[in-house]
């Protein structure tokens, strides 16, 4: 009988930030846009944050906003609630992510970071890294189920 492979255990980063308040999309989107606007004002061109895990490399948000726009309003609200926690995780976390290569795109590595909000809810953040240029993009964030 073949042995079952164990799924690698990822340590989750404990956030101090609280998730955005509200349940409806119209309540959450102004708060999320305000957060992203403050990031844009801190930079001259494209909005980014520096990541502790990637040795202070920049992580850009171009793909993230495009990805969020493709989702329904309910799903956008569900994901954007975790934006302040995701930003804190990317800035401060030194926990190793689950890294994997996409079979369809061999030049891209995706890193999945796990986090816990101050309320104890779990979420995941996926960052895409281009192997040639070493540029990193925030792809998505979503609430995760407890393991």
């Amino acid at each position: 009988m073949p042995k079952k492979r164990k799924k690698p255990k990822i340590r989750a980063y404990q956030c101090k930030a609280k998730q955005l308040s509200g349940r409806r999309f119209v309540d959450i989107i102004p708060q999320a846009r305000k957060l992203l606007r403050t990031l844009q004002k801190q930079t001259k061109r494209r909005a980014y944050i520096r990541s502790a895990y990637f040795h202070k490399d920049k992580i850009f948000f171009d793909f993230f906003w495009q990805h969020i726009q493709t989702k329904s309003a309910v799903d956008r609200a569900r994901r954007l609630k975790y934006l302040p926690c995701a930003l804190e995780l990317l800035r401060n976390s030194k926990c190793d992510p689950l890294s994997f290569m996409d079979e369809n795109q061999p030049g891209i590595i995706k890193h999945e970071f796990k986090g816990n909000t101050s309320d104890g809810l779990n979420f995941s953040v996926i960052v895409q890294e281009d192997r040639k240029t070493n540029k990193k993009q925030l792809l998505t964030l979503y609430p995760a189920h407890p393991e």
Side-chain angles (χ1 to χ4, degrees):
M1 197 161 161
K3 292 183 180 179
K4 285 187 177 179
R5 283 188 177 176
K6 288 186 178 180
K7 197 173 182 182
K9 192 77 171 164
I10 304 173
R11 209 176 77 193
Y13 175 77
Q14 181 62 46
C15 295
K16 293 180 180 111
K18 294 194 181 279
Q19 61 186 9
L20 297 177
S21 61
R23 297 188 83 180
R24 299 179 314 150
F25 177 69
V26 294
D27 298 334
I28 294 170
I29 193 68
Q31 298 172 60
R33 283 204 178 120
K34 185 177 179 183
L35 256 176
L36 289 174
R37 248 187 250 117
T38 57
L39 283 174
Q40 278 183 322
K41 287 179 181 178
Q42 294 171 359
T43 62
K44 289 184 180 179
R45 293 175 187 91
R46 296 179 359 205
Y48 67 86
I49 59 172
R50 294 201 178 262
S51 173
Y53 178 77
F54 294 113
H55 306 292
K56 298 296 181 186
D57 281 352
K58 295 176 183 176
I59 297 179
F60 295 97
F61 297 101
D62 307 334
F63 292 171
F64 171 70
W65 204 244
Q66 291 171 4
H67 176 73
I68 288 293
Q69 296 299 328
T70 63
K71 303 296 179 188
S72 68
V74 173
D75 196 27
R76 275 190 258 178
R78 185 176 68 95
R79 290 168 184 253
L80 285 174
K81 280 180 94 162
Y82 295 96
L83 186 61
C85 301
L87 294 176
E88 180 187 338
L89 180 142
L90 291 174
R91 274 191 192 115
N92 303 330
S93 176
K94 292 186 179 177
C95 300
D96 291 330
L98 173 64
S99 299
F100 54 94
M101 294 180 81
D102 192 353
E103 294 169 358
N104 300 330
Q105 300 171 315
I108 291 180
I109 301 172
K110 294 184 179 175
H111 306 280
E112 181 179 5
F113 292 90
K114 299 279 186 185
N116 296 326
T117 65
S118 60
D119 305 337
L121 300 172
N122 300 326
F123 67 96
S124 293
V125 177
I126 297 184
V127 174
Q128 171 179 303
E129 178 181 2
D130 190 337
R131 291 174 67 190
K132 283 184 182 176
T133 61
N134 206 23
K135 292 202 175 170
K136 293 151 191 78
Q137 292 277 349
L138 174 63
L139 272 188
T140 189
L141 62 104
Y142 55 90
H145 301 289
E147 293 181 21

